[in-house]
Amino acid sequence: MPKTILPPDVSAASFAAALQEFQAAIGKQWVFSSEEDLELYRDQYSFFWDTADEHLASAALAPASVEEVQKIVHIANKYKTPLYPISTGRNLTYGGAAPVMRGSIVLDLKRMNRVLAVDDKRHFALVEPGVSYFDLYRYIQERNLKVWIDCADPGWGSPIGNALDHGVGWTTGQYRDHFGAHCGMEVVLPNGELMRTGMGAMPNADTWQDYRYGQGPWVDGLFGQGNFGIVTKMGFWLCPEPEAFLSGEVFVPRYDDLQSLIEHMDYLENSGVIGVPSFDSPLGTANPGLLAEGLTREANSDLADLMANGWPTHDQIEAYHKKRGGPAWRLIVRFYGPEETVRGSWAYVQRRIGAAIPGSTFKEGKFLRMPLTPEQQAPLHLAYFGIPNLQVFSIVEPEANDNVPLDGHVDFWATVPRTAEGLHGGQRVIYETQRKLGWKTNFNPFSSPLMFYPRTFNIGYSLPSYRNDPEGNRKGLELYNALVHNLGAAGYGQYRSNIYTQEVAAAQYSFNNNVLMRFREALKDAADPNGIFAPGRYGVWPKRLRATHGRSASEGKKA
Amino acid sequence: MYNRRTFIQASAAASTASVLAASLGAWPAGALAAASSRIDFYKVVFDREHPAAVAFGQAAGNCGLSVQAISRDVTALWYDDFYHRWRQGPAAIAGMTPARVAYCLQVLAQDVGMRLIFRAEHVPAADGRLAHRLAGPRSVLDRARLLERSADWPSGVARLVRDCPADFSAKSTLALNSTSATGGAFRQPLVSWVIAPPAGA
């Protein structure tokens, strides 16, 4: 790791003076600038590991309170030292604790880790950024509160950090969109002022975590994937602990039943009948989202043959299906609620789809009463039950997916319409891009989407990254960028991006001469004139760094 | 906690018994670190699904270390055990596990000020032999060449771990190719590791 990284256009003397003031503000022991300490703020899965382009932090600061954050912001304005806030910094596949701009000072908020409130009558929580899903779950369990969280995989992330990055979970639509389930923020602004949003702006209001809009333009969205403030508190709506859980599988016989099955799934989820569904084809490879349920499949040479010479025709797909036999598609439905309701909902699903899709078959899955015993929990993918875990690390081992090496992986996930045409369109772009660049393709007409958000499909996968293979990393980044471009040209955007690829991903949202980005830049210039908050995050550069994209003048504009 | 029953269960899960053959006497006592400089381990972790890791765990237990078996997922061990222990202060751990288990514990241990001090990858090669890639204190790596010749390399690693000093200053790397075959005991790389508080912590 190279020594002594400086923020762009900040002299060594200025940087040293800033560090001294930071030490005075928060204590010397919470200002990190040694090589060993900064090792913890590297992107462990970086495509640029140990190269001059690696996005390294120049220092890291760990304040313990809002007041200390405000002091830091004032000093950062004085010296124009950019701050890159992180909560737990554990979104490894998207950059971890490393900044978007090389030389930024990481503002590590892990010490601000209080659960401020959990109300199991009004069903909300109020937390600080250093609280992890494990922390919040433990708080709830120790007090026997009857609410569920919806957690990301893995559970060591923070509800605030995950929500602000538009992360997702695994239960029902209204909760697994983590930003969508938030209610109220406290934010330190670039000038150091403290702001509360929604009802938090009204002194004495007791509805900060109940009604999120308050009155007037709602600004919370600026802080999601944004660089307009440092969120120091955030409220979340929680799900009342359901009495029971039931799952079921729906199989439909024909390849062309796909669109109809998707429409039924949409109806069921958008009417609140089912929680998070899963969707795959027994004719394809295993759905990575279902590996914890033991649904791995053997390699299929017929499928390899089908995909060997380009995207197959409908007739070729039908012939493949005829040879393989069995149902073409499977939908897994999950119900949360009282026993009478979940059993009734499952009966309704069977009646509805059975009447509409000839030959559909049904298989009842697990029925469980809450709370779960440890024995009941053991075989489950716990995130479906709001239980944080690290199971994903035992699933995504190299032998389970030969695209994932020991070193790391960088995920990309495109948002496509919940239609057969949208699904196949996205699959085909990925397949053809992989082939064109000489990659072994893992996409086909039966590739499974994931249901991150309740109204779209997400398709994507993990690209390998290496510690000792620069050429492998170059190829990985080349593929990533090509996928983003090609998917973007087809109208399929990334819902979040790695620190190295946010700019190219943001550039796909270019309607009307990039007016959306220009509007964000205008806001950035007004709110953060010194450009100290997370320069470059999701492509939004402050005015003073816009031309160079965060490179010092001597380094020139980033290619 | 390690107890006899744990190992009976773990051993029953192992597909080969050869790696369990103890040959601890093969390690020269003179090469061992002084007892006073050794790390005081809270727990040593092994994955019961991997025969080599089971052998490592048994050898570590025979060395007097407190051993804990897992099955790929480290959530419960951290959530129910290490979390509570580490709230009282840093406590060193070691293990032989799949790489991602080691990485999870390394990240979680960082929160209480501990660091990875020793790491060895044990990678099966196409010819059925093993490559060992080690990084850690020079004094440990100086003794690691014995791994090249020993069929009971997991026991050798357990000894290296047991004698690992809390020395973060003299890091070195070493790559070895074992002359003994794995016997097809495992296809997936395993990692041995030591996580400890820096000296003085």
Side-chain angles (χ1 to χ4, degrees), chain A residues 440-456:
Chain A
K440 177 183 169 187
T441 182
N442 51 355
F443 273 74
N444 55 65
F446 309 100
S447 300
S448 307
L450 293 182
M451 315 297 182
F452 291 163
Y453 282 90
R455 289 175 186 262
T456 54

Side-chain angles (χ1 to χ4, degrees), chain A residues 189-269:
Chain A
L189 297 173
N191 66 1
E193 280 191 290
L194 190 66
M195 178 179 78
R196 289 184 174 176
T197 68
M199 295 308 296
M202 177 177 281
N204 303 319
D206 186 31
T207 48
W208 191 18
Q209 273 61 66
D210 300 306
Y211 181 60
R212 60 183 166 193
Y213 299 120
Q215 196 174 76
W218 191 57
V219 299
D220 292 38
L222 291 172
F223 306 106
Q225 298 187 347
N227 52 10
F228 295 92
I230 297 167
V231 176
T232 50
K233 293 182 182 65
M234 200 162 164
F236 293 95
W237 288 334
L238 303 177
C239 181
E241 181 184 71
E243 287 182 19
F245 168 89
L246 177 67
S247 66
E249 294 174 272
V250 180
F251 297 91
V252 296
R254 287 166 295 277
Y255 178 75
D256 289 339
D257 288 329
L258 176 61
Q259 178 60 30
S260 179
L261 187 61
I262 291 172
E263 289 172 10
H264 287 291
M265 177 182 71
D266 282 350
Y267 178 88
L268 294 167
E269 181 163 31

Side-chain angles (χ1 to χ4, degrees), chain A residues 54-71:
Chain A
E54 185 181 347
H55 290 199
L56 298 171
S58 56
L61 314 172
S65 67
V66 172
E67 293 72 23
E68 289 189 354
V69 172
Q70 291 177 290
K71 288 179 187 174

